[in-house]
Amino acid sequence: GASLLTRGPYLNMGNAAEVTVRWRSDVATNSRIELGTSFGTYPIVVNDALSTTEHEVRVTGLTADTKYFYRFGSSVQILQAGNDNYFTTAPPAGTTRKLRFAAFGDCGRNDNGFQSGSLSSYLSYTGSNPAEALLLLGDNAYNEGTDAEYQSNYFNIYSANILKNHQLFPAPGNHEYANSAARQDDHNIPYYSIFTNPANAQCG
């Protein structure tokens, strides 16, 4: 049967030539991403034969400082293909044009409309000129940083809008570690499996 998109998409570890696209599906399938520089035309195809619900595909060989539209799913089904599925690769070193970064801190709680109000303000302010990268400053999911809290307090709120087209560079906060010194030492927390982050200076 058909699979359903249950998390994402979200874009990790972008640089001038590469990006990692992640998403979650309700049933295990293989993975496919198709990309192109104009919406609706996708000459670049990346397949991953691994059957999984936690899709994580590294796209390589892209052109620097270029806007790409993408659609994704499996070899038999497209899960999402909107004109807001896009990203811009990083510019070459030495580029002098202005870049836009959004920084969200403590964005993993939705009491008193905290997130929905902030998100609405951000979308109104940036309009048709959104930031190219989104920095997460920590405390991205309250209170313990569990996978379920990430789903309800982060992905359910941001997947339909900014996660589709902002390259994401996250950092953990004390709530990711459930305020536990032991977890800060062993890093045995969901955050490290949810996000793909540079380990060998892939992003500069």
Side-chain angles (χ1 to χ4, degrees):
S3 68
L4 297 173
L5 178 65
T6 58
R7 172 178 291 182
Y10 52 112
L11 306 159
N12 277 170
M13 217 164 73
N15 60 32
E18 304 175 339
V19 69
T20 295
V21 185
R22 296 193 58 161
W23 70 94
R24 176 179 287 178
S25 57
D26 66 331
V27 296
T29 69
N30 59 18
S31 305
R32 174 177 291 176
I33 300 170
E34 301 176 348
L35 309 92
T37 53
S38 60
F39 174 64
T41 304
Y42 306 100
I44 303 167
V45 179
V46 182
N47 290 295
D48 187 337
L50 176 70
S51 185
T52 183
T53 58
E54 296 292 333
H55 304 268
E56 179 180 356
V57 181
R58 187 75 172 160
V59 179
T60 63
L62 301 174
T63 303
D65 209 4
T66 300
K67 183 175 183 178
Y68 287 91
F69 293 90
Y70 67 95
R71 64 185 183 184
F72 65 94
S74 69
S75 58
V76 297
Q77 180 187 9
I78 295 167
L79 288 174
Q80 195 176 83
N83 61 7
D84 53 353
N85 290 109
Y86 64 82
F87 62 89
T88 300
T89 47
T95 298
T96 56
R97 72 169 175 82
K98 291 181 179 178
L99 301 172
R100 272 193 149 185
F101 295 85
F104 282 34
D106 282 291
C107 65
R109 45 177 278 232
N110 203 30
D111 49 311
N112 303 314
F114 181 88
Q115 284 165 307
S116 43
S118 299
L119 178 61
S120 176
S121 297
Y122 170 75
L123 294 172
S124 298
Y125 176 74
T126 56
S128 59
N129 187 24
E132 295 166 46
L134 174 61
L135 311 179
L136 295 185
L137 308 182
D139 294 350
N140 314 306
Y142 279 74
N143 282 307
E144 309 291 327
T146 65
D147 186 80
E149 287 172 340
Y150 257 102
Q151 188 67 33
S152 61
N153 298 344
Y154 186 77
F155 287 104
N156 285 356
I157 292 157
Y158 300 111
S159 286
N161 40 72
I162 58 176
L163 290 184
K164 292 180 181 180
N165 48 44
H166 289 58
Q167 295 184 60
L168 187 58
F169 294 92
N174 58 295
H175 284 280
E176 268 70 32
Y177 290 108
N179 291 305
S180 164
R183 295 295 78 77
Q184 291 177 41
D185 288 338
D186 65 25
H187 290 187
N188 185 22
I189 57 172
Y191 167 89
Y192 287 100
S193 57
I194 290 172
F195 298 110
T196 306
N197 285 318
N200 299 295
Q202 293 98 328
C203 300

